[in-house]
């Protein structure tokens, strides 16, 4: 188990370093909110939670992963290249003219299930996929990832009520709760917080985890077969996680590091690897 | 009951019923909107029917999720709520991924006259036609309405159908070539009227009124508003000097705009008069007939406008 955890930690830092380099090269990207969800993504893709086949990205029995916060795309691109969904050359041109890969996810890219970019849609899309699985007697699960800032979108709550009404116990949501939106702090005790209570009130099972602790990330997906209702995993995370001076810094939503900051950040990440 | 005798909505839903009976991947979702035939659908195909409650935006996303999983989805709500309210949801979740989802809007034009501007559907054509590659259908009788259900089912991409309510005089035959997108109701002349949906039955009477005033006019019913059958329409316009569009829509962005774009893009020297609703707020409550009269869409007013315009043109 410890070996597995170490492998996942190493992988996560490797993804962070790759993302940092891509953002530096392109001069564009969202470091803070990408780094906050990388441990979750690595847990899903490298610990066997998501059942996908890089050689057959449209395999009909694959688990669906619907990404609301598509601005974390660079983490996905690097993971998909590493797993074999994509060729590394696809990313060389990132954010340049004629790049096939954009700053949001597009279904023409293998691995992408839905066109991201507009917040508040992912829960309903995922609910539709989970409902289709039930209609077709398919065993795949549908997972979505949204941000806590995104959770202010009203359509999410329409979908939350729908999923519970239809007893979609094959639907699992993850909220990357890094507590920072683009311009503001999301307080736990004001109207935008208490997401667990809100989802529970909509009829979901809610659990809170540390979104940077691999044993907690992995165990959140234990006993899925016993679920009677949709599950929301509220993952406490740190925006900019992994680079000391970026952590919890609001400016790192989409700031690009200076050359000096880049070198410093890279050294910190390499130390971990 | 023969198709021609059915309510225009029920003709559409009856066809969907027949389709769903054969194709188990057809799913119907309503945002709590109802119709007579839909009750049969719900009773006979409970596994292919969902009431998404009064939550139109979620309905769009769920429809997209189902379509991404291989389903053919029809969704239903009142026009203003399924179009303007959900525009960005349709753009992102349905159109950007080119999904086979048919959006059915109920209550075209002043069909819900008494409820005021929240329920009037006089701006949806302008809004929906901005969405790239969407198909827009606006049937004017029950036979056409049933055919629109087939067109939507056969399509592998997004379709928007605006449905009126009630029984309409029969204009179409079952074996009509519905790929055309329009029908010549009265043989074309130098002066021709183009209308769509509910107002076409009024345009038929208008043509008769004009004939009594010694003005013989042609009449086209345009039901496929997008993509427009440009070539065939331009061919119809050969020999035309005057075109008059009549619609129970805003003057901004409806068939008047569509035809004006067609004429100007093809440098046609045809005089066009657009008869539609003025660009202003409407808080007048009453029957559809009364509202149409108030806003100058009744035959008497329209025939006066047309005759005056033509006199102006002939000077």
């Amino acid at each position: 188990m410890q070996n597995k955890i170490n492998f996942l930690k190493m992988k996560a830092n490797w993804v962070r370093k790759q993302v940092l380099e891509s953002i530096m090269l392109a001069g564009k990207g969202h470091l803070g909110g990408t780094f906050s969800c990388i441990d979750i993504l690595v847990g899903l893709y490298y610990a066997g939670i998501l059942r996908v086949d890089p050689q057959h990205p449209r395999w009909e029995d694959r688990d669906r992963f619907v990404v609301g916060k598509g601005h974390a795309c660079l983490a996905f691109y690097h993971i998909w290249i590493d797993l074999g969904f994509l060729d590394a050359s696809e990313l060389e041109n990132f954010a340049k003219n004629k790049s096939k890969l954009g700053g949001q996810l597009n279904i023409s890219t293998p691995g992408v299930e839905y066109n991201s970019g507009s917040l508040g849609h992912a829960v309903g899309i995922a609910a539709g996929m989970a409902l289709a699985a039930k209609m077709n007697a398919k065993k795949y699960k549908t997972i979505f990832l949204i941000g806590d800032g995104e959770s202010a979108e009203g359509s999410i709550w329409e979908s939350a009520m729908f999923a519970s009404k239809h007893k979609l116990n094959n639907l699992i949501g993850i909220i990357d709760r890094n507590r920072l939106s683009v311009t503001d702090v999301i307080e736990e005790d004001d109207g935008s917080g208490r997401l667990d209570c809100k989802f529970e009130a909509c009829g979901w099972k809610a659990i809170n985890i540390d979104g940077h602790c691999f044993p907690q990330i992995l165990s959140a997906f234990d006993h899925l077969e016993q679920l009677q209702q949709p599950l929301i995993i509220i993952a406490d995370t740190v925006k900019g996680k992994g680079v000391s001076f970026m952590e919890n810094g609001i400016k790192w939503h989409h700031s690009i590091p200076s050359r000096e900051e880049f070198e410093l950040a890279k050294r910190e990440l390499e130390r971990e690897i | 009951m023969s198709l021609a005798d059915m309510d225009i909505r029920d003709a559409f839903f009856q066809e969907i019923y027949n389709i769903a009976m054969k194709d188990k991947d057809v799913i119907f979702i309503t945002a709590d909107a109802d119709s007579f035939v839909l009750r049969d659908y719900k009773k006979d195909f409970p596994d292919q029917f969902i009431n998404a409650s009064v939550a139109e935006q979620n309905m769009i996303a769920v429809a997209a999720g189902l379509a991404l999983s291989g389903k053919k989805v029809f969704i239903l709500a009142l026009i203003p709520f399924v179009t303007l309210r959900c525009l960005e949801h349709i753009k992102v979740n349905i159109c950007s991924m080119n999904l086979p989802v048919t959006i059915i809007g109920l209550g075209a034009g002043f069909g819900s006259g008494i409820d005021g501007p929240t329920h009037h559907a006089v701006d949806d054509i302008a809004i929906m036609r901005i969405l790239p590659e969407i198909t827009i259908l606006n049937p004017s009788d029950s036979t056409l309405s049933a055919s629109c259900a087939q067109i939507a089912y056969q399509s592998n991409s997004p379709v928007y159908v605006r449905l009126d309510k009630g029984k309409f005089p029969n204009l179409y035959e079952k074996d009509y070539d519905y790929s055309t997108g329009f029908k010549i109701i009265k043989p074309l002349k130098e002066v021709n009227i183009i209308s769509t949906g509910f107002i076409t039955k009024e345009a038929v009477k208008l043509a008769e009124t004009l004939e009594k005033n010694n003005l013989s006019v042609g009449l086209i019913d345009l039901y496929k508003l997008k993509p427009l059958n440009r070539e065939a329409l331009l061919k119809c316009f050969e020999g035309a000097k005057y075109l008059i569009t009549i619609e129970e829509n805003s003057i901004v962005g409806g068939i008047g705009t569509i035809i004006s774009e067609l004429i100007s893009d093809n440098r046609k020297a045809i005089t066009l008069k657009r008869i539609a609703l003025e660009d202003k707020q409407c808080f007048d409550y009453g029957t559809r007939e009364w509202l149409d009269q108030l806003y100058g869409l009744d035959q008497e007013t329209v025939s006066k406008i047309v005759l005056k315009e033509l006199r102006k043109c002939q000077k």
Side-chain angles (χ1 to χ4, degrees), chain B residues 230-266:
Chain B
R230 291 171 160 259
E231 253 173 54
L233 277 170
L234 286 169
K235 211 165 169 201
C236 288
F237 296 165
E238 284 170 11
K241 286 189 177 163
Y242 310 104
L243 291 178
I244 301 145
T245 55
I246 307 176
E247 58 191 316
E248 199 189 40
N249 287 305
S250 165
I251 189 82
V252 181
I255 63 163
T257 305
I258 291 169
I259 297 298
S260 72
E261 288 169 356
L262 181 66
I263 291 173
S264 64
D265 288 351
N266 292 281

Side-chain angles (χ1 to χ4, degrees), chain A residues 1-10 213-215 218:
Chain A
M1 183 65 179
Q2 195 51 47
N3 280 350
K4 187 177 174 185
I5 299 298
N6 286 342
F7 165 76
L8 294 173
K9 277 185 181 169
M10 238 175 59
C213 170
F214 280 109
L218 304 192

Side-chain angles (χ1 to χ4, degrees), chain A residues 68-115:
Chain A
K69 47 175 298 172
H71 53 283
C73 57
L74 274 168
F76 286 89
Y77 296 152
H78 281 292
I79 289 170
W80 289 336
I81 286 169
D82 190 39
L83 294 177
F85 282 93
L86 289 177
D87 194 86
S89 63
E90 305 253 18
L91 202 51
E92 285 168 9
N93 211 22
F94 177 69
K96 306 263 183 342
N97 294 345
K98 291 189 181 172
S99 170
K100 277 190 193 165
L101 303 177
Q104 291 285 348
L105 301 170
N106 180 304
I107 48 167
S108 62
T109 306
V112 178
E113 298 286 358
Y114 139 82
N115 282 355

